Coordinates of all heavy atoms in Angstrom, one line a residue:
N737 N 108.0 28.7 73.3 CA 107.4 29.9 72.9 C 106.7 29.7 71.7 O 107.2 29.1 70.7 CB 108.4 31.1 72.8 CG 109.5 30.8 71.9 OD1 110.2 29.8 71.9 ND2 109.6 31.7 70.8
E738 N 105.4 30.1 71.6 CA 104.6 30.1 70.4 C 105.0 31.0 69.3 O 104.8 30.9 68.2 CB 103.2 30.1 70.7 CG 102.7 28.9 71.6 CD 101.1 29.0 71.7 OE1 100.4 29.4 70.8 OE2 100.6 28.8 72.9
L739 N 105.5 32.2 69.9 CA 105.6 33.3 68.9 C 107.1 33.8 69.1 O 107.7 33.7 70.2 CB 104.8 34.5 69.3 CG 103.2 34.3 69.0 CD1 102.5 35.5 69.6 CD2 102.9 33.9 67.6
P740 N 107.7 34.4 68.1 CA 109.1 34.8 68.2 C 109.3 36.1 68.9 O 108.2 36.9 68.9 CB 109.7 34.9 66.7 CG 108.4 35.1 65.9 CD 107.3 34.4 66.6
G741 N 110.4 36.5 69.4 CA 110.5 37.7 70.1 C 111.7 37.9 70.8 O 112.5 37.0 70.9
T742 N 111.9 39.1 71.5 CA 113.1 39.4 72.3 C 112.7 39.1 73.8 O 111.7 39.7 74.3 CB 113.6 40.7 72.1 OG1 113.9 41.0 70.7 CG2 114.8 41.1 73.0
V743 N 113.5 38.3 74.5 CA 113.3 38.2 75.9 C 113.5 39.4 76.7 O 114.4 40.0 76.7 CB 114.2 37.0 76.4 CG1 113.8 36.7 77.9 CG2 113.9 35.7 75.6
R744 N 112.4 39.7 77.5 CA 112.5 40.9 78.3 C 112.8 40.5 79.8 O 113.5 41.1 80.6 CB 111.2 41.7 78.3 CG 111.2 43.0 79.2 CD 109.9 43.6 79.1 NE 108.8 42.8 79.7 CZ 107.6 43.1 79.8 NH1 107.1 44.2 79.1 NH2 106.8 42.2 80.4
Q745 N 112.2 39.4 80.3 CA 112.3 39.0 81.6 C 112.4 37.5 81.8 O 111.7 36.8 81.1 CB 111.1 39.5 82.5 CG 111.3 39.4 84.0 CD 110.0 40.0 84.8 OE1 109.0 40.3 84.2 NE2 110.3 40.1 86.0
V746 N 113.3 36.9 82.6 CA 113.4 35.5 82.9 C 113.3 35.2 84.3 O 114.0 35.9 85.1 CB 114.7 35.0 82.2 CG1 114.8 33.5 82.5 CG2 114.8 35.3 80.7
M747 N 112.4 34.3 84.6 CA 112.3 33.9 86.0 C 112.3 32.3 86.1 O 111.5 31.7 86.6 CB 111.0 34.5 86.7 CG 111.1 35.9 86.9 SD 109.4 36.7 87.2 CE 108.8 36.8 85.6
L748 N 113.3 31.9 85.7 CA 113.6 30.4 85.5 C 114.7 29.9 86.5 O 115.9 30.2 86.1 CB 113.9 29.9 84.1 CG 112.7 30.1 83.1 CD1 113.2 29.6 81.7 CD2 111.4 29.3 83.5
T749 N 114.3 29.5 87.6 CA 115.3 29.1 88.6 C 115.4 27.5 88.7 O 114.4 27.0 89.1 CB 115.1 29.6 90.1 OG1 115.1 31.0 89.9 CG2 116.2 29.2 91.0
P750 N 116.4 26.9 88.1 CA 116.4 25.3 88.1 C 116.0 24.8 89.4 O 116.8 25.2 90.5 CB 117.7 25.1 87.6 CG 118.3 26.2 86.8 CD 117.6 27.3 87.6
G751 N 115.2 23.8 89.6 CA 114.9 23.2 90.8 C 113.8 23.9 91.6 O 113.2 23.2 92.6
Q752 N 113.4 25.1 91.3 CA 112.4 25.8 92.0 C 111.0 25.3 91.7 O 110.7 25.0 90.5 CB 112.5 27.3 91.6 CG 111.4 28.1 92.3 CD 111.5 29.6 92.0 OE1 112.1 29.9 91.0 NE2 110.7 30.4 92.7
V753 N 110.1 25.1 92.7 CA 108.7 24.8 92.5 C 107.9 26.0 92.3 O 107.9 26.9 93.1 CB 108.2 23.9 93.7 CG1 106.8 23.6 93.5 CG2 109.1 22.6 93.8
V754 N 107.2 26.1 91.2 CA 106.3 27.3 90.9 C 104.9 26.9 90.8 O 104.6 25.7 90.5 CB 106.8 27.8 89.5 CG1 108.1 28.5 89.6 CG2 106.7 26.8 88.4
E755 N 104.1 27.7 91.1 CA 102.6 27.5 91.2 C 102.0 27.8 89.8 O 102.6 28.4 89.0 CB 101.9 28.5 92.2 CG 102.4 28.2 93.7 CD 102.1 26.8 94.2 OE1 101.1 26.2 93.7 OE2 102.8 26.4 95.0
A756 N 100.9 27.2 89.6 CA 100.2 27.3 88.3 C 99.9 28.8 88.0 O 99.5 29.6 88.9 CB 98.9 26.6 88.2
G757 N 100.2 29.4 86.9 CA 99.9 30.8 86.5 C 101.1 31.7 86.8 O 101.2 32.9 86.4
T758 N 102.3 31.1 87.4 CA 103.5 32.0 87.7 C 104.1 32.4 86.2 O 104.3 31.5 85.4 CB 104.5 31.2 88.6 OG1 103.9 30.9 89.7 CG2 105.6 32.1 88.8
V759 N 104.5 33.6 86.2 CA 105.2 34.1 85.0 C 106.6 33.6 84.9 O 107.3 33.7 85.9 CB 105.1 35.6 84.9 CG1 106.0 36.1 83.6 CG2 103.8 36.2 84.8
L760 N 106.9 32.9 83.9 CA 108.4 32.3 83.9 C 109.2 33.2 82.9 O 110.3 33.3 83.1 CB 108.1 30.8 83.3 CG 107.4 29.9 84.3 CD1 107.4 28.4 83.7 CD2 108.0 29.9 85.7
V761 N 108.7 33.5 81.7 CA 109.4 34.2 80.6 C 108.5 35.3 80.1 O 107.3 34.8 79.7 CB 109.9 33.2 79.5 CG1 110.7 34.1 78.5 CG2 110.9 32.1 80.1
A762 N 108.9 36.4 80.0 CA 108.2 37.6 79.4 C 108.9 38.1 78.2 O 110.1 38.5 78.4 CB 107.8 38.6 80.4
F763 N 108.3 38.2 77.1 CA 108.9 38.8 75.9 C 108.6 40.3 75.7 O 107.6 40.7 76.3 CB 108.4 38.0 74.6 CG 108.9 36.7 74.5 CD1 108.5 35.5 75.1 CD2 110.1 36.4 73.6 CE1 109.0 34.3 74.9 CE2 110.6 35.2 73.5 CZ 110.1 34.1 74.1
D764 N 109.4 41.0 75.0 CA 109.0 42.4 74.8 C 107.7 42.5 73.9 O 107.7 42.0 72.9 CB 110.3 43.0 74.1 CG 110.1 44.4 73.9 OD1 109.2 45.1 74.6 OD2 110.7 45.1 73.0
V765 N 106.8 43.2 74.5 CA 105.4 43.5 73.9 C 105.3 45.0 73.8 O 104.1 45.3 73.6 CB 104.5 42.8 74.7 CG1 104.5 41.3 74.6 CG2 104.4 43.3 76.1
S766 N 106.2 45.8 73.7 CA 106.1 47.2 73.5 C 105.3 47.6 72.2 O 104.4 48.4 72.2 CB 107.5 48.0 73.6 OG 108.2 47.5 72.7
V767 N 105.7 46.9 71.1 CA 105.1 47.2 69.8 C 103.5 46.8 70.0 O 102.7 47.5 69.4 CB 105.8 46.5 68.8 CG1 105.0 46.7 67.4 CG2 107.2 47.0 68.7
E768 N 103.3 45.5 70.5 CA 101.9 45.1 70.5 C 101.1 46.0 71.5 O 99.9 46.3 71.3 CB 101.9 43.7 71.0 CG 102.5 42.6 70.1 CD 104.0 42.6 69.9 OE1 104.7 43.3 70.7 OE2 104.5 41.8 69.2
E769 N 101.8 46.5 72.6 CA 100.9 47.4 73.4 C 100.6 48.6 72.7 O 99.5 49.3 72.9 CB 101.7 47.6 74.7 CG 101.8 46.4 75.7 CD 102.7 46.7 76.8 OE1 103.5 47.6 76.8 OE2 102.6 45.8 77.8
A770 N 101.5 49.2 72.0 CA 101.3 50.4 71.2 C 100.1 50.2 70.2 O 99.2 51.0 70.0 CB 102.5 51.0 70.5
E771 N 100.2 49.1 69.4 CA 99.1 48.7 68.6 C 97.8 48.6 69.3 O 96.7 48.8 68.7 CB 99.4 47.4 67.8 CG 100.6 47.6 66.9 CD 101.0 46.4 66.2 OE1 100.5 45.2 66.6 OE2 101.9 46.3 65.1
L772 N 97.8 47.9 70.4 CA 96.7 47.8 71.2 C 95.9 49.2 71.5 O 94.7 49.3 71.5 CB 96.9 47.0 72.4 CG 95.6 46.8 73.4 CD1 94.6 46.1 72.7 CD2 96.2 46.1 74.6
R773 N 96.8 50.1 72.0 CA 96.2 51.5 72.3 C 95.7 52.2 71.1 O 94.6 52.8 71.1 CB 97.2 52.3 72.9 CG 97.7 51.9 74.2 CD 98.6 52.9 75.0 NE 99.9 53.1 74.2 CZ 101.0 52.3 74.6 NH1 100.9 51.5 75.7 NH2 102.1 52.5 73.9
A774 N 96.3 51.9 69.9 CA 95.8 52.5 68.6 C 94.4 51.8 68.3 O 93.3 52.5 67.9 CB 96.7 52.3 67.5
Q775 N 94.3 50.5 68.5 CA 93.0 49.8 68.1 C 92.0 50.2 69.1 O 90.8 50.2 68.6 CB 93.3 48.3 68.2 CG 94.3 47.9 67.0 CD 94.9 46.5 67.3 OE1 94.7 45.8 68.4 NE2 95.7 46.1 66.3
Q776 N 92.3 50.5 70.3 CA 91.2 50.8 71.3 C 90.7 52.2 71.0 O 89.5 52.5 71.0 CB 91.8 50.8 72.7 CG 92.1 49.4 73.3 CD 92.8 49.4 74.6 OE1 93.6 50.5 74.9 NE2 92.7 48.4 75.4
A777 N 91.5 53.1 70.5 CA 91.1 54.4 70.1 C 90.2 54.2 68.8 O 89.1 54.9 68.7 CB 92.3 55.3 69.8
Q778 N 90.6 53.3 67.9 CA 89.8 53.2 66.7 C 88.5 52.5 67.1 O 87.5 52.9 66.4 CB 90.6 52.2 65.8 CG 89.9 51.9 64.4 CD 89.9 53.2 63.6 OE1 90.7 54.2 63.6 NE2 88.8 53.3 62.8
A779 N 88.5 51.7 68.0 CA 87.2 51.1 68.5 C 86.2 52.1 69.0 O 85.0 52.1 68.7 CB 87.4 49.9 69.5
V780 N 86.8 53.0 69.8 CA 85.9 54.2 70.4 C 85.4 55.0 69.2 O 84.2 55.2 69.1 CB 86.7 55.0 71.3 CG1 86.0 56.2 71.7 CG2 87.2 54.1 72.4
L781 N 86.3 55.3 68.2 CA 85.6 56.0 67.0 C 84.7 55.3 66.2 O 83.6 55.9 65.8 CB 86.9 56.4 66.2 CG 86.5 57.2 64.9 CD1 85.9 58.5 65.3 CD2 87.8 57.5 64.1
A782 N 84.9 54.0 66.1 CA 83.8 53.2 65.4 C 82.5 53.1 66.1 O 81.5 53.1 65.5 CB 84.4 51.8 65.2
E783 N 82.6 52.9 67.5 CA 81.4 52.9 68.2 C 80.6 54.2 68.2 O 79.5 54.2 68.0 CB 81.9 52.5 69.7 CG 80.6 52.3 70.7 CD 80.0 51.0 70.3 OE1 80.8 50.1 69.9 OE2 78.8 50.9 70.3
A784 N 81.3 55.4 68.2 CA 80.7 56.6 68.0 C 80.1 56.7 66.6 O 78.9 57.3 66.5 CB 81.7 57.7 68.3

């Protein structure tokens, strides 16, 4: 992993063949998603 964080979902089955693009590990991004919504609102205000 490139960034630290808390693991939310794991889909790692040893020996399983996965296709390119398959999600293997998902970290908790609730804080980042909240920041994204605030930034989108700020972008709308700046555009206006």
Side-chain angles (χ1 to χ4, degrees):
N737 57 306
E738 295 186 40
L739 300 175
T742 302
V743 178
R744 184 186 64 187
Q745 188 178 15
V746 179
M747 288 166 286
L748 296 173
T749 303
Q752 180 184 10
V753 176
V754 294
E755 300 296 331
T758 302
V759 176
L760 301 178
V761 178
F763 286 82
D764 182 19
V765 291
S766 56
V767 175
E768 287 79 3
E769 289 176 344
E771 291 178 351
L772 177 61
R773 289 191 293 270
Q775 291 163 359
Q776 289 173 336
Q778 184 66 31
V780 172
L781 179 60
E783 188 71 38

